[in-house]
Amino acid sequence: MIYDVLIIGSGASAVNAAYPLVEAGLSVGMLDFGNQDVVYSKLVPDAPFLEVRRTDPHQHQYFLGNRFEGIPCGGVQAGPQLTPPRQYITKDTPELTPVVSNTLSPFATLALGGMASGWGAGAFPFNESDLRDFPISRDDLAPHYEKVAERVGISGEMDDLAPFDGELKAMLPPLRIDRNAATILDRYHRRRKKLNAAGFYMGKTRLAALSQPYRGRGPDRYLDMSFWGDTDKSVWRPHYTLKELQSSTKFSYRPFLLVESFKELKDGTIEVISK
């Protein structure tokens, strides 16, 4: 198959790179290994965490795992990927994408949606300090951040973190915070001038999670089950955008392929080798 653009993987960067290209009328192919959870998603109930803990006699299946894989032993990596319904994110990577290093421990994935299939939804933009040694600036990225925010849904507010996070016109209202967070924020506001003078600023994290219905998803119902299930479809996952892309005749998704290499041919075509 010949495409104008070929994208490897289906993570957050991949689907958001594909979207404007498809909109521009280019033919885009996406090659992906595409591991998914085929065991636990159907077992997770559509109910709040506390209710599940009190009432579900089978909760061990998805909280601990049928093989107790939710209980970390030895040198394991922390994070939401350790919950049994999210462990597909790192499945097959030691065997198919091995890394031999004494100094680097990359967190690799062959999952549908990549790492963002299990992220905590924190949407932190790069700022000028982050990009100091790069040939692009925060101003260069600003219009692209707006487009991505429109596409995925970012909740937050223009608070004391705005000078660091930048302006975002497409921002949705912030999600509700709990009593602990509200108490901390209230104490901060009482001492705001003094803390700001010392270089300390506080606000609400911008989240790729929906405080209101948006593009057929959400809103978040505060079930506290986002690391196990996606019944609200509030926290953005790349496969939501992938599904939108698949409605276009200009886009082709090819799963179950492991890309091994690529090379440029004499006519400028890039040939990709996969199995």
Side-chain angles (χ1 to χ4, degrees):
M1 297 289 291
I2 300 292
Y3 301 97
D4 294 323
V5 180
L6 197 59
I7 295 175
I8 313 303
S10 61
S13 297
V15 296
N16 282 297
Y19 213 97
L21 298 172
V22 171
E23 285 185 319
L26 297 175
S27 63
V28 177
M30 182 175 285
L31 306 185
D32 190 30
F33 198 81
N35 275 339
Q36 300 183 56
D37 169 37
V38 295
V39 176
Y40 294 110
S41 58
K42 60 183 178 292
L43 302 178
V44 181
D46 183 17
F49 177 82
L50 292 178
E51 179 184 326
V52 168
R53 292 289 284 119
R54 286 196 303 264
T55 64
D56 187 0
H58 305 294
Q59 61 186 266
H60 64 281
Q61 290 184 301
Y62 46 87
F63 283 142
L64 301 180
N66 288 326
R67 299 181 305 280
F68 298 103
E69 63 268 36
I71 301 175
C73 298
V76 296
Q77 293 163 308
Q81 291 81 7
L82 288 180
T83 65
R86 294 280 182 258
Q87 290 198 350
Y88 73 93
I89 292 173
T90 55
K91 184 176 181 290
D92 297 320
T93 55
E95 300 80 20
L96 297 180
T97 58
V99 175
V100 180
S101 174
N102 294 323
T103 58
L104 178 67
S105 299
F107 202 28
T109 180
L110 293 170
L112 173 69
M115 293 297 184
S117 292
W119 71 329
F124 308 104
F126 288 115
N127 57 37
E128 292 296 348
S129 178
D130 297 326
L131 299 169
R132 185 178 297 119
D133 297 323
F134 282 76
I136 55 176
S137 68
R138 177 63 176 77
D139 289 340
D140 294 328
L141 287 176
H144 304 288
Y145 279 137
E146 284 289 348
K147 284 292 185 182
V148 171
E150 289 176 16
R151 193 174 300 133
V152 309
I154 303 292
S155 299
E157 65 183 14
M158 297 297 291
D159 53 19
D160 283 5
L161 297 182
F164 308 97
D165 292 340
E167 185 178 359
L168 193 63
K169 297 187 178 90
M171 194 153 55
L172 302 173
L175 276 84
R176 192 173 70 227
I177 60 175
D178 65 15
R179 288 186 182 179
N180 289 331
T183 298
I184 293 170
L185 202 55
D186 178 64
R187 294 288 182 91
Y188 163 75
H189 282 129
R190 292 187 204 174
R191 297 163 174 79
R192 185 177 182 185
K193 287 185 179 179
K194 188 182 230 179
L195 290 168
N196 289 172
F200 184 92
Y201 297 82
M202 182 179 287
K204 295 179 181 178
T205 302
R206 293 182 185 179
L207 296 170
L210 302 179
S211 57
Q212 62 189 41
Y214 193 73
R215 293 174 77 116
R217 297 169 35 230
D220 195 296
R221 289 178 291 148
Y222 304 97
L223 301 180
D224 293 329
M225 291 291 289
S226 295
F227 287 147
W228 291 274
D230 292 321
T231 53
D232 292 342
K233 294 185 178 178
S234 166
V235 176
W236 179 79
R237 312 287 183 192
H239 68 265
Y240 299 144
T241 299
L242 176 60
K243 187 175 181 180
E244 291 182 27
L245 285 165
Q246 287 178 294
S247 66
S248 172
T249 58
K250 291 290 186 178
F251 179 81
S252 174
Y253 176 68
R254 302 284 302 279
F256 315 122
L257 292 172
L258 180 67
V259 173
E260 296 187 312
S261 63
F262 64 90
K263 62 181 178 180
E264 185 173 358
L265 306 182
K266 290 181 179 179
D267 64 357
T269 302
I270 304 296
E271 182 179 81
V272 174
I273 309 301
S274 64
K275 67 178 180 181

